[in-house]
Amino acid sequence: MAQEKNRNDWENPEVFQINREPARAAFLPYADETSAIIDKYENSPWYFSLNGKWKFSWSPTPDERPKDFYKTDFSTLHWKELQVPSNWELNGYGVPIYTNITYPFEKNPPFINHWDNPVGSYKRDFVLPENWNGRHVFLHFEAGTAAMYIWVNGQKVGYTENTKSPAEFDISKYLKPGKNNVAIEVYRWSDGSYLEDQDMWRLSGIDRNVYLYSTDNVRIADFFAKPDLDAKYKNGSLSVDITLKNLTSASVNNQKLVAKLVDASGKNVFVKELNANVEGSKIQTLNFAQNVSSPKLWSSETPNLYTLVLTLKNAKDEIVETVGTQIGFRKVELKGSQLLVNGVRLMVHGVNIHEHNTETGHYQDEATMMKDIKMMKQLNINSVRCSHYPNNILWVKLCNKYGLFLVDEANIESHGMGVEGQPLKWMNPKTNPGYLPEWREAHLDRIYSLVERDKNMPSVIIWSLGNESANGPVFHDAYKWIKKRDNSRLVQFEQAKENENTDIVCPMYPTIEYMKEYAARKEVARPFIMCEYSHAMGNSSGNFQEYWDIIRGSKNMQGGFIWDWVDQGYKRKDDAGREYWAYGGDMGSQNYLNDENFCHNGLVYADRTPHPGAFEVKKVYQNILFKAVDIKNGIIEINNDFGFTNLNKYNFRYEVLENGKVIKEGTLNVALDPKTKKQFKIDLPKLESKDGTEYLLNVFANTKIGSELLPQNFEIAKEQFVIEDGKYFAKAEKATAAKVQDEKEEFVLTSDNVTVKISKKTGLISYYSLKGEEYFKEYPEPNFWRAPTDNDIGNKMQIRTNVWRTAGKNTSLESIQQTEENGKKYIVAKLKLNDVASDYTIKYALENDGSLEIQASYKKGNNTVPELPRFGMIFTLKNTLENLDYYGRGPLENYPDRKTASLKGIYTSKVADQYVPYTRPQENGYKTDIRWFKLSSNKGNGLEIKGLQPLGMSTLNNYPSDFDGGISKKNIHSSDITPREEVVVCVDLTQRGLGGDNSWGLPPHEQYQLIQSEYSYGFVIKPL
């Protein structure tokens, strides 16, 4: 026992709070009903913010902390100040650490290294408002820290753990008239940190709002409002449980509780009065139920809110206090093995979010939250998993208001202690916290905090028991507790796999095989909704359409949550003053174990600018689906996949393209109920089928009226159909050949305006001039390499396929000769690719109009070779050719497995604008299905490159090698990329897909890998 007594609270899993108030719903007492409805805390006379500057001292270890700092006579005169809320490490105190799974401290639960556990000591004075005399005062932290002690006026108030849930203390008995003092001692790590192993920057300090509020002797301590709908989802009911608490020892009688439901226009829907007598120091529970006919329903599409106002009156009928909360009438069910909201099967267009701000770290401001909500709505995202902890309460309220479905997750992750399915050395039930009785209450406390705070929030439709924590007995208990406490929502837990303690089968990064297997099952009891999928690290989001083909093809599948929303980057400058986004290993953390740029997995950059992949998500997530029925006759099917929106809210237009040019435009009048589809006939012009011509049909849906989130005429859905493209690459009529001279060192090809020399030493072009002017800096040569993407590095492509890195440079000529084919004169160079012992043939033909045709073919030798990263050629041009026009997929960067959002068309741009500054440099700027592209100077002269079949291409001011860190992954950033003085052109048949099933091993899907033994293609370089 003696040893137990000396044990630190912050190293004892059985101590996670001392004197903390029980968890409750999020609300604040107001003095009048109007303020309770508006719910801006500063409007309450009984609210007092403690945000702002605090005196602060940082100590690298607990032993070095100022142990007596909480005493009233301790001078903080020479201490610095720190803003609350904030994170110390972003203000110069200690090191921000990014790690995914590995604990940032030595793993020895429940103990923490004493030689590296910084302590922050906070202190400030405050004077309570005059009108608080005689009232009870509570100190409220919207979130705690890893561990913290609280003193008021030198007296110890209590202790709490848990960095992401509220902590509240009754400090009434410690207060005195006039000036008061509060001291908080915050530890960077505690035993609780073993349950907080989330994949994010590890930052410390008080990083959510802190305030005081006061109440009378009798207060509304908590309430649970449970809206429901009848079986037809038409009429509603509201049942409310209210807890009154008497904070004095004397009974208080003849109290009245008035409950009002107020609609959006401020009208009362009903008013209810309840009488109450509350015994001394006791809790009194009241409840009532009321039917509400035809309420406006809440969903992500129609976030109709009502306000429940509860007013406590005393025996003299005076207002004691009034509280309010937003509620929504909506019904969440598991029915017929599906997740239904208001009777409609929900398709989860989801994303995971970490709380991240480029300036303030884990402290989130309203402006950033609004940026996120707007961008999510614009990308057709309807659901967010709060990964992996309860988010800021303001975020939840904004999601109520603007309509996002939330998975609300407990602040529990013990990934570093192992997860289900791992061998015993990683996950041992004898040491895993989820299996150990001494950790049980600490887990459950986090579950209680999650549910109690957000139980009235309509946006929360699913509770999650936590993340990446082995499914020990405590999670079975937690599941049962939530189902008993709140039967109005579903409960999910990824680690439960297909066990009984989850209502949803919610795997992370399932294989496509597992998805297809579950999708094909005849009988399932639960929907399949991936809690994490499509890992968006760097240049990723490949095969996203393929995911949704499986999801939309089975009633068992209901979507998932992309990992993840935002790159967790901080803006920093290098020694040359160039800005970059920092990741693990930066900002002084290079000596701590770190997981590099694995925190940059967002669909959007840290500043919320979308990555190109975000638009692929927007396209695949769209709620209006278009399908070709009889496209030659203009018949398409429009499917309204919204749950609650008629398509008459949108303008539909179409355009018919001939070789990329619009030849007809028109509109469609579409009014379709949710979850219905209908055929529409587009009046196509008469289209002539002829060689070298293709016809496309584009259809768009745009908002009719603007809103706070989506501007007017905002495109929310689109589709492109091929009417006819079979003859586009048909062989053109015969042209006249240019002159060929067979000289000693080279073949010289001359037309009226172009001279080309082909070396007899290399078989490659050695000279090209147009009207005497040279455009090339380097001539076309074979190219098989791309700068590895994050996903490539994850599946070790840069090592496995390394032989291709220089295969295009290390060639030797086997033969070169003139031949004639179909009356066309060719120079045929047969090369050996020495690194891969394979054959490579190039055929050149120059026509009299200056068109230079190049055909390249590859044939694998007898030895085994790895897959090709790409098949193409590379050359460089003078940087005066800075204007880019092309006919192909654009204007976004696109790849073989990420191109559905990039419609084929004619686009005009600049070479400089093709670069995509991924935070760790990698392959970027690509375009697929290219028919032709032109590079020209501002005078209009330059070159056009036409494909003999569709091409892939990039035109950048950098070489692939500039974006390539080599065999091992280096700490490189976008600031390391300096544009060069030339235009680097890659003209390919194709390159490997991006993939994205995960970023730690899975390759792109097989159809997007270059694994054949032979490849050939061709293109024509023509003067403009």
Side-chain angles (χ1 to χ4, degrees), residues 992-1013:
R992 101 200 275 252
L994 298 170
D997 292 359
N998 69 29
S999 299
W1000 49 92
L1002 285 181
H1005 291 190
E1006 197 173 320
Q1007 66 268 37
Y1008 303 117
Q1009 296 176 35
L1010 277 63
I1011 47 187
Q1012 292 166 26
S1013 316

Side-chain angles (χ1 to χ4, degrees), residues 545-743:
Q545 182 66 55
E546 280 84 347
Y547 274 120
W548 277 81
D549 290 343
I550 299 169
I551 291 164
R552 291 198 169 108
S554 165
K555 65 171 183 46
N556 304 345
M557 317 298 276
Q558 287 188 245
F561 298 88
I562 293 164
W563 188 266
D564 65 345
W565 175 242
V566 57
D567 284 347
Q568 298 176 53
Y570 295 107
K571 197 164 265 183
R572 289 294 178 268
K573 281 187 177 162
D574 66 12
D575 298 340
R578 300 172 300 189
E579 286 190 336
Y580 66 93
W581 292 114
Y583 52 71
D586 294 329
M587 295 160 66
S589 65
Q590 63 278 5
N591 297 329
Y592 280 90
L593 189 118
N594 69 78
D595 284 307
E596 302 168 318
N597 65 321
F598 205 72
C599 53
H600 288 202
N601 309 328
L603 287 176
V604 300
Y605 291 96
D607 63 2
R608 276 51 180 187
T609 308
H611 289 179
F615 295 99
E616 187 80 354
V617 169
K618 172 187 174 175
K619 164 71 171 64
V620 177
Y621 270 177
Q622 66 192 29
N623 294 290
I624 304 172
L625 307 175
F626 303 93
K627 204 170 95 188
V629 178
D630 175 2
I631 202 68
K632 293 248 189 304
N633 289 310
I635 299 171
I636 60 166
E637 177 186 87
I638 299 179
N639 179 348
N640 180 0
D641 204 32
F642 280 109
F644 311 97
T645 306
N646 190 297
L647 294 192
N648 59 15
K649 279 182 65 175
Y650 303 100
N651 287 321
F652 287 76
R653 65 183 178 88
Y654 68 86
E655 49 191 34
V656 181
L657 281 68
E658 178 180 341
N659 288 358
K661 294 196 171 80
V662 177
I663 56 170
K664 180 173 185 201
E665 291 180 278
T667 59
L668 288 170
N669 194 7
V670 181
L672 265 181
D673 281 333
K675 303 292 178 197
T676 64
K677 49 189 170 191
K678 188 179 163 188
Q679 290 186 10
F680 290 81
K681 186 169 185 344
I682 288 167
D683 185 20
L684 297 179
K686 188 157 169 37
L687 303 175
E688 221 181 311
S689 171
K690 50 184 190 261
D691 288 356
T693 305
E694 66 180 343
Y695 297 101
L696 302 169
L697 170 67
N698 294 338
V699 190
F700 304 94
N702 292 53
T703 52
K704 277 185 184 174
I705 45 174
S707 69
E708 199 179 334
L709 302 176
L710 302 180
Q712 188 178 14
N713 204 28
F714 181 81
E715 179 196 289
I716 60 138
K718 66 178 176 186
E719 194 57 78
Q720 183 169 67
F721 299 102
V722 173
I723 302 171
E724 187 183 330
D725 66 354
K727 294 186 175 177
Y728 184 79
F729 292 102
K731 286 280 174 282
E733 63 286 349
K734 251 168 57 174
T736 50
K739 243 181 24 227
V740 178
Q741 286 161 273
D742 186 346
E743 297 190 355

Side-chain angles (χ1 to χ4, degrees), residues 872-893:
M873 297 187 97
I874 186 169
F875 54 87
T876 65
L877 301 169
K878 294 183 170 171
N879 70 346
T880 48
L881 304 185
E882 60 182 310
N883 301 303
L884 170 68
D885 300 86
Y886 60 98
Y887 176 26
R889 289 193 183 270
L892 302 164
E893 169 197 82

